[in-house]
Structures are given as C-alpha cells and as structure tokens.
Amino acid sequence: MTLQELDTYFRSFLKIENFSADPSLNGIQIENSDPCTKEIKKVAFAVDACQATFDRAVQLHADLLFVHHGIFWGQCETVTGTQYRRLKTLLDNDVALYACHIPLDANELVGNNYGLARRLGLQNIQAFGVWHGMTLGAAGEFEEPITIDKLERMLFPQGEKALHILPFGKKEIKTVAIISGGAGGDMDQAVAAGYDAYITGEIGHEEYHKALESKINLIAGGHYQTETVGVSLVMEKLAQDTGLETVFIHVPTGL
C-alpha cells in the first residue's frame, strides 16, 4: 500500500473529518518521497512524536510512523532546535509521519477510551464527556460492584501502576467514566453525571480537593499508560486487514 492508500484506509474508520475542533493536524503530517507510488512495507506505532521514537523507527526500517501525539498542533512554528532535528531524522530517512489525536481518543472501534472500557469489561458502554464540542470519552457499568484496588488491577493487567489513586467515593464501584490523557479537569462531568469512579491519565493539584469534596473515586493512570491502547488497537487492525508488517515502539515517560 502507498501512503495515500493508507491515509484513505485510516480515515475510513477513524473519521478524522468529524473532529475539526481538534488542534492537532490529524492525518499525514510528513509525507514520504513519493506518497502516491512508494510501497509502505513496515508501519511503526507509538504514542508520541519525539526524537527517541523517530530514532527507533529508523533503526527498525519503518516506512511510516503512526502516533497519537503528532509533531504539529495547528500553529505556525519555526523549524529550529529539537523541531529541526526531529524533522531532519524523518526526512533524511524517508519516514512518513501520521498523527491521530482526538479522533483516536473517541473512536468506538479502536479508541483509547472505548478500548479501556472494554479492557475493564464494562457493560452498556456509551459515549461520555465533551471537550470543545467533541464527545471523546466512554462510560459504562460493572455487572457486580468492585473495589478501587481491583479496578486498578483490571485497568493494568500487566502490572503497571497508576500515578495517583484517590479513593474518595463509594467503597463498591458500579459505574465508571473514562477520558484518557490529560483530562483531570473533566472530572466535573463525571461528578455531574453521578458516576462512582472517574479514570483519566493525569491530574493537577486542584483535582485532589475537588475529588474529595465531590466524593468520587479518581484514578490517574498516567497520560502515556492510558494512551498506548488506541495505537495498539490500530496496529492490530492494520495487520489483520492488510498483512503489512507492524511494530510498536514503547517509549514510556512515567507521566
């Protein structure tokens, strides 16, 4: 497949055109030397567009790197310093870059939030949470209530640890709302909707007392850790649908 064909493929299920309010420049951010004819043989997937990820993509001989957090965010900027070095790495090695931000958070099939909801085994999963007019989260309920400790174990079955756990709500959790990444400020929406627990990636200092006074359980699972889900699901889908060689580049930040 060529880069242009892969762009058509990704857009067929990621519905990028429905998220015009996203500040990320979703889609092809850097093309290769001939996007209409050059065959893409290997696609790498990662959370972040950064030098470490780019270097690994080159080492792995990837033709395309698909990321959640791209290198361009809808504003003009100078190509100097780290931005210059990042771009030069991709251009010198003819590696294309594809980014998908909010569309990947929100997607019901391969998105971060629906993916986390399915990982938890939630039932009656539905859309939750609005940001800049875009619905991007997911919410649902357990068949039987669970404790917050068990909720963390189910959220990270490979043994990762959440950054913060604030057990300020019910001891037995039945309903959960999820918005991955940096959505601590959206906890208010979970409180207003009456959910027992809210899961996000990272929170600020002010969320502590908000959670305490609102009597809600809050898990900040880590911005990175809650957003490996979507890119991994897209990777699996691409491999199954096309047979292309794929690889995941793991560059955790601890944040």
Side-chain angles (χ1 to χ4, degrees):
M1 297 179 75
T2 67
L3 181 61
Q4 288 294 340
E5 289 171 336
L6 279 168
D7 181 39
T8 300
Y9 167 79
F10 289 136
R11 287 176 181 274
S12 71
F13 61 91
L14 291 170
K15 308 301 181 185
I16 289 173
E17 68 279 2
N18 294 339
F19 297 87
S20 59
D22 185 359
S24 174
L25 296 180
N26 294 302
I28 299 171
Q29 292 200 337
I30 300 176
E31 64 182 21
N32 57 15
S33 57
D34 197 336
C36 296
T37 61
K38 180 183 176 179
E39 284 293 313
I40 301 293
K41 298 179 180 179
K42 189 172 189 178
V43 183
F45 290 81
V47 175
D48 300 308
C50 61
Q51 191 66 51
T53 303
F54 294 171
D55 289 342
R56 286 290 293 139
V58 171
Q59 292 167 6
L60 292 165
H61 303 291
D63 302 301
L64 170 64
L65 175 62
F66 182 110
V67 298
H68 181 48
H69 301 133
I71 199 169
F72 298 117
W73 294 89
Q75 61 185 14
C76 184
E77 59 182 284
T78 57
V79 181
T80 59
T82 57
Q83 188 78 324
Y84 169 81
R85 291 189 289 273
R86 290 172 175 180
L87 290 170
K88 189 174 188 302
T89 300
L90 296 181
L91 294 172
D92 284 353
N93 294 280
D94 202 20
V95 179
L97 179 67
Y98 201 98
C100 192
H101 185 225
I102 300 299
L104 187 57
D105 287 319
N107 194 268
E108 294 185 21
L109 179 65
V110 294
N112 288 315
N113 298 308
Y114 278 85
L116 287 170
R118 288 194 295 271
R119 179 188 289 180
L120 291 172
L122 295 179
Q123 300 179 350
N124 302 319
I125 300 173
Q126 58 187 313
F128 162 81
V130 177
W131 182 75
H132 289 214
M134 301 175 290
T135 302
L136 67 162
E141 60 184 9
F142 292 109
E143 185 174 358
E144 299 292 337
I146 65 170
T147 65
I148 196 167
D149 291 337
K150 184 174 182 180
L151 179 57
E152 183 196 18
R153 291 195 299 272
M154 294 171 69
L155 184 65
F156 297 123
Q158 300 304 315
E160 302 97 327
K161 296 298 181 182
L163 298 187
H164 305 286
I165 299 178
L166 305 181
F168 297 153
K170 297 177 181 177
K171 298 299 182 185
E172 294 194 332
I173 297 168
K174 178 78 170 174
T175 59
V176 180
I178 306 167
I179 302 179
S180 66
D186 294 307
M187 176 184 62
D188 291 344
Q189 296 187 65
V191 172
Y195 287 98
D196 299 335
Y198 177 59
I199 295 171
T200 188
E202 60 180 291
I203 58 174
H205 174 78
E206 62 275 11
E207 268 75 61
Y208 179 94
H209 287 290
K210 282 188 177 182
L212 179 63
E213 293 164 20
S214 299
K215 296 181 173 59
I216 189 171
N217 294 293
L218 174 63
I219 293 181
H223 199 134
Y224 180 86
Q225 289 185 157
T226 59
E227 296 198 326
T228 59
V229 183
V231 285
S232 297
L233 290 172
V234 176
M235 180 178 71
E236 293 171 9
K237 178 173 171 54
L238 177 67
Q240 291 172 359
D241 290 347
T242 69
L244 283 173
E245 184 178 359
T246 60
V247 60
F248 182 78
I249 298 174
H250 184 44
V251 184
T253 62
L255 301 172

